[in-house]
Short mmCIF file of all heavy atoms in Angstrom, two decimals:
data_model
loop_
_atom_site.label_atom_id
_atom_site.label_comp_id
_atom_site.label_asym_id
_atom_site.label_seq_id
_atom_site.Cartn_x
_atom_site.Cartn_y
_atom_site.Cartn_z
N GLU A 68 8.45 -2.31 9.94
CA GLU A 68 8.60 -3.62 9.32
C GLU A 68 9.78 -4.36 9.92
O GLU A 68 10.66 -3.75 10.51
CB GLU A 68 8.90 -3.43 7.84
CG GLU A 68 7.70 -3.18 7.03
CD GLU A 68 8.06 -3.19 5.55
OE1 GLU A 68 9.23 -3.38 5.23
OE2 GLU A 68 7.14 -3.01 4.77
N GLY A 70 13.26 -6.19 10.10
CA GLY A 70 14.52 -5.96 9.41
C GLY A 70 14.91 -4.50 9.35
O GLY A 70 15.81 -4.13 8.62
N ASN A 93 10.44 -17.24 9.09
CA ASN A 93 10.80 -17.32 7.68
C ASN A 93 9.80 -16.55 6.84
O ASN A 93 8.73 -16.22 7.28
CB ASN A 93 10.76 -18.77 7.21
CG ASN A 93 11.88 -19.56 7.80
OD1 ASN A 93 12.92 -19.02 8.07
ND2 ASN A 93 11.63 -20.84 8.01
N ALA A 94 10.17 -16.36 5.56
CA ALA A 94 9.30 -15.60 4.68
C ALA A 94 7.95 -16.30 4.51
O ALA A 94 6.90 -15.66 4.51
CB ALA A 94 9.97 -15.40 3.33
N GLU A 95 7.97 -17.64 4.38
CA GLU A 95 6.70 -18.30 4.12
C GLU A 95 5.79 -18.24 5.34
O GLU A 95 4.57 -18.18 5.21
CB GLU A 95 6.93 -19.75 3.73
CG GLU A 95 7.70 -20.50 4.79
CD GLU A 95 8.29 -21.80 4.29
OE1 GLU A 95 8.01 -22.13 3.14
OE2 GLU A 95 9.02 -22.43 5.05
N ARG A 97 5.56 -15.79 7.17
CA ARG A 97 5.08 -14.43 7.38
C ARG A 97 4.02 -14.02 6.39
O ARG A 97 3.52 -12.90 6.46
CB ARG A 97 6.26 -13.45 7.27
CG ARG A 97 7.08 -13.42 8.52
CD ARG A 97 8.05 -12.27 8.48
NE ARG A 97 9.32 -12.69 7.96
CZ ARG A 97 10.18 -11.91 7.36
NH1 ARG A 97 9.90 -10.66 7.17
NH2 ARG A 97 11.31 -12.37 6.93
N ASP A 130 4.41 -7.17 7.61
CA ASP A 130 5.15 -8.28 7.03
C ASP A 130 4.30 -9.17 6.14
O ASP A 130 4.84 -9.87 5.29
CB ASP A 130 5.74 -9.16 8.13
CG ASP A 130 6.97 -8.52 8.72
OD1 ASP A 130 7.51 -7.60 8.09
OD2 ASP A 130 7.38 -8.95 9.79
N VAL A 132 1.41 -10.37 3.32
CA VAL A 132 1.17 -9.92 1.95
C VAL A 132 -0.01 -8.95 1.94
O VAL A 132 -0.01 -7.93 1.27
CB VAL A 132 0.88 -11.11 1.02
CG1 VAL A 132 0.58 -10.64 -0.37
CG2 VAL A 132 2.08 -12.03 0.97
N ASN A 133 -1.04 -9.26 2.76
CA ASN A 133 -2.18 -8.36 2.86
C ASN A 133 -2.14 -7.67 4.21
O ASN A 133 -2.36 -8.29 5.23
CB ASN A 133 -3.47 -9.17 2.71
CG ASN A 133 -4.68 -8.25 2.72
OD1 ASN A 133 -4.56 -7.06 2.97
ND2 ASN A 133 -5.83 -8.83 2.45
N ASN A 134 -1.81 -6.38 4.20
CA ASN A 134 -1.63 -5.68 5.47
C ASN A 134 -2.79 -4.80 5.83
O ASN A 134 -2.61 -3.80 6.53
CB ASN A 134 -0.37 -4.82 5.40
CG ASN A 134 0.86 -5.67 5.42
OD1 ASN A 134 0.93 -6.63 6.17
ND2 ASN A 134 1.83 -5.35 4.60
N PHE A 179 14.71 2.97 1.96
CA PHE A 179 14.90 2.54 0.59
C PHE A 179 13.98 3.23 -0.37
O PHE A 179 14.13 3.12 -1.56
CB PHE A 179 14.68 1.02 0.47
CG PHE A 179 15.43 0.26 1.52
CD1 PHE A 179 14.78 -0.61 2.36
CD2 PHE A 179 16.80 0.42 1.67
CE1 PHE A 179 15.46 -1.31 3.34
CE2 PHE A 179 17.49 -0.27 2.65
CZ PHE A 179 16.82 -1.13 3.48
N HIS A 181 11.22 6.63 -1.60
CA HIS A 181 11.33 8.04 -1.88
C HIS A 181 10.61 8.88 -0.85
O HIS A 181 10.47 10.08 -1.02
CB HIS A 181 10.73 8.35 -3.26
CG HIS A 181 11.42 7.67 -4.37
ND1 HIS A 181 12.77 7.72 -4.55
CD2 HIS A 181 10.94 6.92 -5.38
CE1 HIS A 181 13.09 7.02 -5.62
NE2 HIS A 181 12.01 6.52 -6.14
N LEU A 183 7.30 8.61 2.39
CA LEU A 183 6.39 7.76 3.15
C LEU A 183 5.61 6.86 2.20
O LEU A 183 5.25 7.26 1.11
CB LEU A 183 5.39 8.62 3.93
CG LEU A 183 5.94 9.43 5.09
CD1 LEU A 183 4.83 10.26 5.68
CD2 LEU A 183 6.53 8.53 6.14
N LYS A 206 18.21 2.52 9.44
CA LYS A 206 19.34 2.07 8.61
C LYS A 206 19.88 3.21 7.74
O LYS A 206 20.03 3.06 6.53
CB LYS A 206 18.90 0.90 7.73
CG LYS A 206 18.54 -0.31 8.55
CD LYS A 206 18.71 -1.59 7.77
CE LYS A 206 18.70 -2.76 8.72
NZ LYS A 206 18.73 -4.04 8.09
N ASP A 208 22.60 4.22 7.17
CA ASP A 208 23.92 4.13 6.55
C ASP A 208 23.84 3.72 5.09
O ASP A 208 24.85 3.44 4.47
CB ASP A 208 24.82 3.17 7.34
CG ASP A 208 24.21 1.81 7.52
OD1 ASP A 208 23.03 1.64 7.18
OD2 ASP A 208 24.90 0.92 8.03
N CYS A 209 22.63 3.70 4.52
CA CYS A 209 22.58 3.46 3.08
C CYS A 209 22.26 4.75 2.34
O CYS A 209 22.02 4.72 1.14
CB CYS A 209 21.55 2.37 2.77
SG CYS A 209 19.89 2.96 2.59
N LEU A 210 22.32 5.89 3.05
CA LEU A 210 22.02 7.16 2.40
C LEU A 210 23.20 8.12 2.55
O LEU A 210 23.75 8.26 3.65
CB LEU A 210 20.79 7.81 3.06
CG LEU A 210 19.49 7.04 2.95
CD1 LEU A 210 18.45 7.63 3.88
CD2 LEU A 210 18.98 7.06 1.53
N THR A 211 23.56 8.78 1.45
CA THR A 211 24.58 9.82 1.54
C THR A 211 23.96 11.06 2.16
O THR A 211 22.74 11.19 2.19
CB THR A 211 25.12 10.17 0.14
OG1 THR A 211 24.01 10.66 -0.63
CG2 THR A 211 25.71 8.97 -0.54
N GLU A 214 21.26 12.65 0.19
CA GLU A 214 20.04 11.86 0.11
C GLU A 214 19.26 11.94 1.42
O GLU A 214 18.03 11.98 1.42
CB GLU A 214 20.38 10.39 -0.21
CG GLU A 214 20.90 10.22 -1.62
CD GLU A 214 21.50 8.84 -1.86
OE1 GLU A 214 21.63 8.08 -0.88
OE2 GLU A 214 21.83 8.54 -3.01
N ARG A 279 29.64 0.05 12.99
CA ARG A 279 29.50 -1.01 12.02
C ARG A 279 30.74 -1.00 11.13
O ARG A 279 31.15 0.06 10.64
CB ARG A 279 28.26 -0.76 11.17
CG ARG A 279 26.98 -0.98 11.94
CD ARG A 279 25.78 -0.56 11.13
NE ARG A 279 25.61 -1.39 9.94
CZ ARG A 279 25.17 -2.63 9.94
NH1 ARG A 279 24.84 -3.20 11.07
NH2 ARG A 279 25.03 -3.31 8.81
N TYR A 281 32.71 -1.80 7.81
CA TYR A 281 32.55 -2.07 6.39
C TYR A 281 33.92 -2.09 5.73
O TYR A 281 34.86 -1.51 6.27
CB TYR A 281 31.74 -0.96 5.72
CG TYR A 281 30.28 -0.95 6.07
CD1 TYR A 281 29.74 0.11 6.79
CD2 TYR A 281 29.42 -1.98 5.69
CE1 TYR A 281 28.40 0.15 7.09
CE2 TYR A 281 28.09 -1.95 6.01
CZ TYR A 281 27.57 -0.88 6.70
OH TYR A 281 26.25 -0.85 7.00
N ILE A 285 34.32 2.78 8.64
CA ILE A 285 33.62 2.38 9.86
C ILE A 285 32.58 3.44 10.18
O ILE A 285 32.90 4.63 10.25
CB ILE A 285 34.59 2.27 11.04
CG1 ILE A 285 35.67 1.24 10.71
CG2 ILE A 285 33.86 1.87 12.31
CD1 ILE A 285 36.66 1.05 11.81
N GLY B 58 11.87 2.76 -5.25
CA GLY B 58 12.99 3.39 -4.57
C GLY B 58 14.12 2.45 -4.21
O GLY B 58 15.06 2.84 -3.54
N ALA B 78 9.36 7.42 -9.29
CA ALA B 78 7.98 6.96 -9.19
C ALA B 78 7.41 7.35 -7.83
O ALA B 78 8.13 7.46 -6.85
CB ALA B 78 7.94 5.44 -9.35
N HIS B 80 4.86 6.70 -4.46
CA HIS B 80 4.51 5.54 -3.67
C HIS B 80 3.03 5.27 -3.66
O HIS B 80 2.58 4.32 -3.05
CB HIS B 80 4.94 5.76 -2.21
CG HIS B 80 6.39 5.53 -1.98
ND1 HIS B 80 6.93 4.28 -1.84
CD2 HIS B 80 7.40 6.40 -1.86
CE1 HIS B 80 8.22 4.41 -1.62
NE2 HIS B 80 8.54 5.67 -1.63
N TYR B 81 2.24 6.15 -4.29
CA TYR B 81 0.81 6.08 -4.04
C TYR B 81 0.03 5.56 -5.23
O TYR B 81 -1.09 5.97 -5.47
CB TYR B 81 0.30 7.47 -3.60
CG TYR B 81 1.02 7.91 -2.35
CD1 TYR B 81 2.05 8.82 -2.40
CD2 TYR B 81 0.69 7.35 -1.12
CE1 TYR B 81 2.74 9.18 -1.26
CE2 TYR B 81 1.37 7.71 0.02
CZ TYR B 81 2.39 8.63 -0.06
OH TYR B 81 3.06 8.98 1.08
N ILE B 115 -1.22 -1.49 0.44
CA ILE B 115 -1.39 -2.12 1.75
C ILE B 115 -1.76 -3.60 1.55
O ILE B 115 -1.28 -4.46 2.26
CB ILE B 115 -2.45 -1.37 2.56
CG1 ILE B 115 -1.94 0.03 2.86
CG2 ILE B 115 -2.76 -2.09 3.84
CD1 ILE B 115 -2.82 0.85 3.72
N ASN B 116 -2.59 -3.86 0.54
CA ASN B 116 -2.95 -5.24 0.24
C ASN B 116 -2.22 -5.66 -1.02
O ASN B 116 -2.54 -5.21 -2.11
CB ASN B 116 -4.46 -5.35 0.05
CG ASN B 116 -4.88 -6.78 -0.17
OD1 ASN B 116 -4.05 -7.67 -0.33
ND2 ASN B 116 -6.16 -7.02 -0.17
N LYS B 117 -1.22 -6.54 -0.85
CA LYS B 117 -0.38 -6.86 -2.00
C LYS B 117 -0.71 -8.22 -2.59
O LYS B 117 0.12 -8.81 -3.26
CB LYS B 117 1.09 -6.84 -1.57
CG LYS B 117 1.50 -5.45 -1.08
CD LYS B 117 2.90 -5.45 -0.56
CE LYS B 117 2.82 -5.63 0.93
NZ LYS B 117 3.94 -5.08 1.65
N THR B 164 17.21 -6.21 4.32
CA THR B 164 16.83 -6.18 5.72
C THR B 164 17.82 -6.91 6.59
O THR B 164 17.93 -6.65 7.77
CB THR B 164 15.46 -6.84 5.91
OG1 THR B 164 15.55 -8.18 5.43
CG2 THR B 164 14.39 -6.10 5.17
N HIS B 166 17.60 -10.00 7.43
CA HIS B 166 17.02 -11.18 8.08
C HIS B 166 16.74 -12.28 7.08
O HIS B 166 17.32 -13.36 7.14
CB HIS B 166 15.71 -10.82 8.78
CG HIS B 166 15.90 -9.94 9.96
ND1 HIS B 166 16.96 -10.05 10.80
CD2 HIS B 166 15.16 -8.93 10.43
CE1 HIS B 166 16.87 -9.13 11.76
NE2 HIS B 166 15.78 -8.45 11.55
N SER B 167 15.79 -12.02 6.17
CA SER B 167 15.39 -13.05 5.21
C SER B 167 14.56 -12.39 4.13
O SER B 167 14.41 -11.18 4.10
CB SER B 167 14.56 -14.12 5.91
OG SER B 167 13.33 -13.57 6.33
N LEU B 168 13.98 -13.21 3.24
CA LEU B 168 13.11 -12.67 2.22
C LEU B 168 11.83 -12.13 2.84
O LEU B 168 11.42 -12.58 3.91
CB LEU B 168 12.70 -13.79 1.26
CG LEU B 168 13.69 -14.26 0.21
CD1 LEU B 168 13.10 -15.42 -0.54
CD2 LEU B 168 14.04 -13.16 -0.75
N LYS B 169 11.20 -11.20 2.12
CA LYS B 169 9.89 -10.76 2.58
C LYS B 169 8.85 -11.73 2.02
O LYS B 169 9.08 -12.38 1.01
CB LYS B 169 9.60 -9.36 2.05
CG LYS B 169 10.49 -8.33 2.61
CD LYS B 169 9.89 -6.94 2.39
CE LYS B 169 10.85 -5.90 2.88
NZ LYS B 169 10.48 -4.57 2.50
N SER B 170 7.68 -11.73 2.64
CA SER B 170 6.65 -12.67 2.19
C SER B 170 6.23 -12.37 0.76
O SER B 170 6.00 -13.27 -0.04
CB SER B 170 5.45 -12.61 3.12
OG SER B 170 5.07 -11.27 3.34
N THR B 194 24.47 -1.28 2.90
CA THR B 194 23.96 -1.13 4.25
C THR B 194 24.15 -2.41 5.06
O THR B 194 23.74 -2.49 6.21
CB THR B 194 22.47 -0.74 4.18
OG1 THR B 194 22.05 -0.24 5.42
CG2 THR B 194 21.62 -1.91 3.80
N GLU B 199 27.19 -9.99 8.08
CA GLU B 199 25.74 -10.06 7.95
C GLU B 199 25.36 -10.51 6.54
O GLU B 199 24.39 -11.25 6.35
CB GLU B 199 25.13 -8.68 8.20
CG GLU B 199 25.22 -8.22 9.64
CD GLU B 199 24.84 -6.76 9.79
OE1 GLU B 199 24.58 -6.10 8.77
OE2 GLU B 199 24.83 -6.28 10.92
N LYS B 206 20.66 -17.47 4.09
CA LYS B 206 19.25 -17.59 4.49
C LYS B 206 18.35 -17.50 3.26
O LYS B 206 17.40 -18.26 3.12
CB LYS B 206 18.93 -16.45 5.48
CG LYS B 206 17.56 -16.56 6.09
CD LYS B 206 17.59 -17.57 7.23
CE LYS B 206 16.24 -18.15 7.51
NZ LYS B 206 15.22 -17.44 8.04
N GLU B 210 15.87 -20.37 1.84
CA GLU B 210 14.42 -20.17 1.76
C GLU B 210 13.91 -20.47 0.36
O GLU B 210 12.85 -21.07 0.18
CB GLU B 210 14.07 -18.73 2.13
CG GLU B 210 14.01 -18.53 3.61
CD GLU B 210 13.33 -17.24 3.98
OE1 GLU B 210 13.41 -16.28 3.21
OE2 GLU B 210 12.74 -17.22 5.05
N ASN B 214 11.35 -23.61 -0.59
CA ASN B 214 10.03 -23.36 -1.15
C ASN B 214 9.93 -23.73 -2.61
O ASN B 214 8.94 -23.43 -3.26
CB ASN B 214 9.69 -21.87 -0.99
CG ASN B 214 9.27 -21.56 0.42
OD1 ASN B 214 8.24 -22.03 0.87
ND2 ASN B 214 10.09 -20.83 1.13
N ARG B 260 29.81 5.85 -4.27
CA ARG B 260 28.93 6.61 -3.40
C ARG B 260 29.77 7.15 -2.26
O ARG B 260 30.49 6.39 -1.61
CB ARG B 260 27.85 5.68 -2.83
CG ARG B 260 26.78 5.35 -3.82
CD ARG B 260 25.82 4.32 -3.27
NE ARG B 260 25.04 4.81 -2.15
CZ ARG B 260 24.01 5.64 -2.25
NH1 ARG B 260 23.66 6.09 -3.43
NH2 ARG B 260 23.36 6.03 -1.18
N GLN B 261 29.65 8.44 -2.02
CA GLN B 261 30.49 9.08 -1.01
C GLN B 261 29.74 9.23 0.30
O GLN B 261 28.70 9.88 0.36
CB GLN B 261 30.90 10.47 -1.50
CG GLN B 261 31.62 11.28 -0.45
CD GLN B 261 33.00 11.62 -0.89
OE1 GLN B 261 33.18 12.13 -1.98
NE2 GLN B 261 33.97 11.31 -0.08
N TYR B 262 30.31 8.64 1.34
CA TYR B 262 29.73 8.77 2.67
C TYR B 262 30.70 9.49 3.58
O TYR B 262 31.89 9.56 3.28
CB TYR B 262 29.48 7.38 3.28
CG TYR B 262 28.36 6.63 2.63
CD1 TYR B 262 28.62 5.52 1.83
CD2 TYR B 262 27.03 6.99 2.83
CE1 TYR B 262 27.59 4.81 1.25
CE2 TYR B 262 26.01 6.29 2.26
CZ TYR B 262 26.29 5.19 1.47
OH TYR B 262 25.29 4.49 0.90
N TRP B 264 31.91 8.37 6.13
CA TRP B 264 32.85 7.42 6.71
C TRP B 264 33.64 6.67 5.66
O TRP B 264 34.43 5.79 5.98
CB TRP B 264 32.10 6.42 7.59
CG TRP B 264 30.88 5.83 6.93
CD1 TRP B 264 30.85 4.74 6.11
CD2 TRP B 264 29.54 6.30 7.04
NE1 TRP B 264 29.56 4.51 5.69
CE2 TRP B 264 28.72 5.45 6.25
CE3 TRP B 264 28.93 7.35 7.70
CZ2 TRP B 264 27.36 5.63 6.13
CZ3 TRP B 264 27.57 7.53 7.58
CH2 TRP B 264 26.80 6.68 6.80
#
Side-chain angles (χ1 to χ4, degrees):
Chain A
E68 278 188 359
N93 290 330
E95 57 197 355
R97 281 191 267 154
D130 283 344
V132 178
N133 183 353
N134 288 318
F179 311 125
H181 298 309
L183 291 177
K206 295 206 165 175
D208 55 352
C209 86
L210 297 168
T211 61
E214 291 169 353
R279 289 173 64 74
Y281 289 114
I285 301 181
Chain B
H80 281 281
Y81 301 102
I115 295 184
N116 183 352
K117 298 175 265 206
T164 59
H166 291 323
S167 67
L168 283 176
K169 294 197 184 170
S170 48
T194 196
E199 291 170 356
K206 187 81 204 290
E210 279 195 330
N214 283 293
R260 284 174 66 75
Q261 173 119 51
Y262 289 109
W264 49 86

